[in-house]
Structure formats: C-alpha cells, structure tokens
Amino acid sequence: MSTRKRKIPQCPSEGKNSKIDRPNEVLQMCTMTEAHREGCPIIDTEDNLLQKLVYPHTPKTFMDSIWNKKALAVVNAPESRLEELIGTSLFGLDVSRLIEETSSPQIFAWMKDRNNKISSIELNEEAALRCYECGASLYFRAPPEISSMLIAAVSRSTKMFFASQYSSGELRGEVETFVSRKGNITDWHFDYMHNFTLQLSGAKRWSLSEENAVLNPIRGCTPHYSGIDTMGQQLKVHRLSNPNFHVRSIKNHETVTLTAGSFLYFPPGMWHRVECIEEDSISINISMMPSTWSDLVCDGIRHTMWRSDVLWREAISNLSSVASAPPRGQNL
C-alpha cells in the first residue's frame, strides 16, 4: 500500500481540540488525541518531513515557539506511522543488517563493568554484533541512504538553505542509531546539535533540564563519556561564554517517556539523561549542525583577505619572535 501521496491533514492542535500538556520553559509535551491519531501522517523521507514529525503542531508554530528554545515531545502517537520508514529504509529493525549497512568505521558498545558502571568501547562490525548478542547496547550511524535523505529533508523543512552544507557540499548533519538493552542509561550530558529523535521500538525515559545550560554551544559536554583531556577541552570552550560554567549535579528536570511512534526535539545545550525501560529499544536521532552566523562572518572575512592582498595568503614561517614577523603580522 503506497502512502507517499497521502495529504497531510490540518493540525487540530491549533484549535480547541488540542491536548497540550505542561507547556513550560524546558519541555512542551503534546499527547495525541484519538482525532490526532486517526489523521496522523505517515513518516517517510519525502518532503514536508518537519510537518510530519511535529504533528499535531504546525511547522510555523514549531519554528516560532520551540526551535532552539525548548524541547517538544509528541507522545501517544500511532506506532504504525513509522512502518514505512522501518520497512523500506531500516531493514525491519534487523540489528545485524543495520550494523552491516552502517557508515560508521567503528561501532560503540556500552557495557556494564564489574562495578556496575557503563563503559564504552569501539568495535568492528563482527565484534559489535557479538557483544550485542551478549547484552551490550550499541551506537552507530544509520545507513548512508536514509541518513542523507532525512538530513536533507529536515534542512529543507527548517529553511537552513546554504547553512545546511559544508563548503565541500557535504550535509551538516548525521543520523545515529541507538540499539539499547533494557536498563541501559546514558547519564547527564548535552550536545551542540539540534536533535530530532524517533522512538522506533521499545521505550525510553528522557530527563531534560535547562539548569546550568549553555546557549548555542559550539561543543558538547559529556562528563558521562569522555576522558579527562576531552572534558578539560570542553570546559575551556564553554567558559569562553560563561566563565563560571562547571559540571554539577542536575536537581530540577522534566521527564517524558517515549514509546514506539513518539517524537522528541531538543535544542543544543539542553542537559539530558536517557534510560531504556521495560524492554530493549531502538531509536534514531537526526542531529543537525547548521552553520552559525559567526561561521558566515569569519568565512566572509577570510575570502575578502584572500582577494584583497596576495600577502595574506602567504604561509607563516621562519618566526624567531613576534618582532621578526612582517608588519601585517605584528599589527594583529
């Protein structure tokens, strides 16, 4: 049965029949009513992807009121809206096929050590599958074909235009696959990407907090995952905008449970903790990393300097001191 030509219905959430729970500064949770579920569009890789993801909201409401401001969770959505995506692009959630088709050079496996603490190791495809069969959770990129289609569709829907690509033409985003065992916990951290998560099977409990958040971060903060050196680098970057930034315990947060069919958006800099509950689960996350305004300005200045004077393109070398630099270097 083809659903690609299906007309997306008008969104009842914009009227009196909507059921919007707990709108606040951190999380806006929308619980689909029966009317929403009956008119829910199928999620695929075609155009209008944002409209399908945030339904029963409209893309305009999402971009004006939620994008880069707060999280949005759409729950009680029909699992059937993901059937086409799962069947045609994700191999029916066959883990061995997903691993075989990943674009990741290495696969991350999460396992509990003897102290019951979750550790991460990088493995090849065969070893990762063996570890999964023994109870490990896995993290790797989605197949290249669906990744490029989803990233391009979100870029169009959010009107990123030129900001959606690197100078090479490569899309500024990736799609990650999370194959999680029951009980797996990813502890508190935040990302520098805009995140669009689809729960494909099973259930996950998400905790979200703006406490000690960083607005528009250029790097993530991953105390749960990184070594001392990486954590030190992250702190240095975040203290450029907030000299008092430090990692501390999260006390105030909002919680939402995603089941199959649910959708979650959360912005960069928002702390989150994820727990796989009740059963094993699989989800995908579309991570968008559009260019920033500072990227645009810096690139423009660089191009202007390249064109204005051939000496700005000269390689820096043979410096014994600042005084030995040519005048253009001493004046910087």
Side-chain angles (χ1 to χ4, degrees):
M1 179 177 65
S2 176
T3 57
R4 293 191 180 276
K5 298 297 184 181
R6 179 175 177 175
K7 182 179 179 181
I8 300 176
Q10 295 298 311
C11 300
S13 70
E14 302 300 307
K16 64 181 181 179
N17 294 323
S18 63
K19 185 177 181 182
I20 308 297
D21 306 324
R22 296 185 302 160
N24 58 42
E25 294 181 357
V26 178
L27 170 66
Q28 183 158 316
M29 191 164 74
C30 176
T31 304
M32 283 197 189
T33 64
E34 284 305 313
H36 294 152
R37 290 172 60 89
E38 290 177 5
C40 186
I42 298 298
I43 292 178
D44 51 28
T45 56
E46 300 299 309
D47 286 335
N48 302 313
L49 179 60
L50 183 63
Q51 187 170 351
K52 300 167 186 176
L53 291 174
V54 304
Y55 175 90
H57 284 284
T58 63
K60 185 178 188 311
T61 297
F62 174 80
M63 295 302 296
D64 290 349
S65 303
I66 294 168
W67 171 264
N68 208 32
K69 297 181 179 70
K70 63 174 71 175
L72 169 67
V74 179
V75 298
N76 196 40
E79 186 175 350
S80 59
R81 73 174 181 153
L82 298 174
E83 287 180 353
E84 180 172 334
L85 186 70
I86 291 172
T88 60
S89 302
L90 293 169
F91 311 108
L93 302 185
D94 182 320
V95 175
S96 61
R97 284 296 309 279
L98 289 171
I99 291 175
E100 181 181 340
E101 298 297 330
T102 182
S103 60
S104 297
Q106 294 286 302
I107 296 171
F108 289 90
W110 292 317
M111 295 179 287
K112 291 183 179 180
D113 60 22
R114 64 183 62 185
N115 297 317
N116 209 35
K117 183 179 179 180
I118 293 179
S119 299
S120 173
I121 56 175
E122 295 184 46
L123 302 169
N124 60 32
E125 295 176 10
E126 182 180 358
L129 184 57
R130 288 289 185 89
C131 286
Y132 171 73
E133 292 169 347
C134 294
S137 297
L138 305 178
Y139 159 70
F140 51 90
R141 291 182 183 176
E145 184 176 358
I146 186 176
S147 293
S148 59
M149 289 189 293
L150 289 175
I151 294 166
V154 172
S155 299
R156 290 192 299 269
S157 297
T158 52
K159 301 179 181 179
M160 293 178 182
F161 299 113
F162 64 87
S164 67
Q165 296 181 333
Y166 293 100
S167 58
S168 64
E170 182 182 357
L171 292 169
R172 297 180 64 102
E174 62 183 31
V175 180
E176 305 103 348
T177 306
F178 295 86
V179 181
S180 305
R181 293 298 195 180
K182 176 183 176 181
N184 184 75
I185 296 174
T186 304
D187 219 337
W188 289 105
H189 66 287
F190 68 72
D191 307 314
Y192 67 94
M193 302 86 76
H194 289 270
N195 296 280
F196 299 78
T197 290
L198 280 168
Q199 189 67 35
L200 306 177
S201 68
K204 283 184 175 179
R205 182 186 296 117
W206 285 73
S207 300
L208 303 148
S209 178
E210 282 286 340
E211 190 176 303
N212 196 33
V214 174
L215 183 62
N216 299 325
I218 56 176
R219 286 199 66 173
C221 187
T222 55
H224 71 302
Y225 186 63
S226 55
I228 295 175
D229 291 343
T230 302
M231 191 68 238
Q233 293 171 13
Q234 292 174 347
L235 289 174
K236 288 178 182 178
V237 171
H238 299 314
R239 285 171 179 165
L240 290 175
S241 59
N242 178 6
N244 298 317
F245 176 82
H246 63 280
V247 177
R248 65 186 187 214
S249 299
I250 301 295
K251 298 179 180 178
N252 302 305
H253 62 270
E254 297 289 333
T255 302
V256 61
T257 297
L258 302 185
T259 56
S262 297
F263 164 76
L264 174 69
Y265 162 81
F266 59 98
M270 178 172 283
W271 289 93
H272 52 284
R273 179 182 188 271
V274 190
E275 180 180 3
C276 182
I277 59 176
E278 298 177 1
E279 58 183 322
D280 297 346
S281 86
I282 299 179
S283 60
I284 58 172
N285 187 71
I286 308 169
S287 297
M288 302 302 299
M289 301 165 277
S291 298
T292 66
W293 291 108
S294 64
D295 293 331
L296 179 63
V297 171
C298 290
D299 285 346
I301 292 174
R302 182 184 299 110
H303 291 162
T304 299
M305 294 175 71
W306 285 347
R307 294 177 60 184
S308 65
D309 189 338
V310 67
L311 293 177
W312 284 118
R313 304 200 299 268
E314 181 183 0
I316 298 173
S317 61
N318 198 29
L319 295 180
S320 57
S321 66
V322 174
S324 68
R328 59 187 173 280
Q330 296 180 24
N331 294 332
L332 293 177

